Amino acid sequence: MSTEQIPDLPTEITPQSQDFARWYVDVVRRAELADYSPVKGCMVIRPYGYAMWELIQQGLDRRFKATGHVNAYFPLFIPESLLMKEAEHVEGFAPQVAWVTQGGTEKLEERLVVRPTSETIIGTMYAKWVQSWRDLPILINQWANVVRWEKVTRLFLRTTEFLWQEGHTAHETAEEAHEETLRMLGVYKEFAETELAMPVLDGQKTESEKFAGAERTYSIEALMGDGRALQAGTSHDLGQNFAKVYDIKFQGRDKTVQYIWGTSWGVTTRLIGAVVMVHGDDGGLILPPKIAPYQVVIVPIPRGNWKETVLPKAQAIRDELVARGMRVHLDDRESQTPGWKFNEWELRGVPIRMEIGPKDLEKSQVVLARRDTREKSAAPMEGLAADVERRLAEIQRALYERAVRFREAHTSATDSYAEFKDIMEGRPGFVIAPWCGSPACEAAIKTETQATIRNIPFSSPPAAGKACLKCGAPAAAHAWFAKAY
């Protein structure tokens, strides 16, 4: 997209009911989370959006380190010869790979790939570092950017360049690697539900949906406000596939030479897009307090000698809340009216807005407005910090519960393919249906309805005695279908 083509920032937000996709882009740009860039398919993450990413990073990084992982950094460029070693991996990423063919004025002897993911370069290094079982496990995570040449892009959800973390681990046994794969999926689920207030389904991807080169892929899947699903994180059991290709061997406890067992797992900046679509409304963002750049915004009402009376009290309240660990912004700009500020911070999803004016000082109170319910109520200044903390916790809990109710209301089950197709006509949400396990049936359903199997949840009931909704053969599992981003 050239600079001339970048559209102006929207002045109004399109209602969700009118055009959800347009609503999403309007909110992301108007709330200053991100914007289009002059580079085709790439976005600029603005400070407010990047503050959300930093909070996501911090929350995940704490969890990674608590489970024994350490951070490292690997090169952005991967020699073509390394990538080509793992045929299935290459085939899976070939359409999305960006190539570097020239450095300065010289044509490169060997083309370089701009990393779409780092299994190849990391596997090559692990082969150098691992000699003995005593060197295992290796538990490394990388915070990085990656490039995948996408044909259709959308801010945060799918861009040519995006930010993510990618964990890559090496283990002595298949059991250890499998435990790691599921452990990290569990970390993602707990993080999504606890910090993002976003309920997710954890389960196994089908063969056709698994990561290129993996033995098994697991995912967490969330339901967006328009009834479409979003893959919010993946964890891959790589078996020994990459170990054999990149010669990652070690001397075992029994003195035999063995290949390591590997895993990889990652989440991306699309989590920000997920938060927008799960919680937002026609007024804009609604941010869960745990990842809101500002949890509280204080708006002093400028009447009379407010700078001598109201403002010092607002500053004192801000300092007290900050001392308790809350993220607070005092909006004392004189260039904008209080009403304008109320609308602006509502658009930007700040969980609690605090209003304080001369009359509130007389009553020794403030007015608190919740973004999620738009409820306004007076709160005494005595014990205010503890009161605000309690309300933030309540908002976090309420957003999660509301998202769970939405998912339950937009989840249906059927054994009939005719009914399945009818349900899928209107982007309904999740549809649970028996499936035989055949990739052919899976592909046919996708072609005819645009619905894909998101995963087979660990909690999915057994399908014994059921028939596949497409072909009528004995069902192998209850699959969760949806149209997806």
Side-chain angles (χ1 to χ4, degrees), residues 450-465:
Q450 295 184 305
T452 54
I453 296 176
R454 302 319 303 154
N455 65 28
I456 314 295
F458 299 135
S459 59
S460 194

Side-chain angles (χ1 to χ4, degrees), residues 165-182:
Q165 58 74 212
E166 48 179 323
H168 297 268
T169 69
H171 301 267
E172 192 179 348
T173 67
E175 292 74 24
E176 267 185 39
H178 190 62
E179 283 173 16
E180 166 80 358
T181 308
L182 296 181

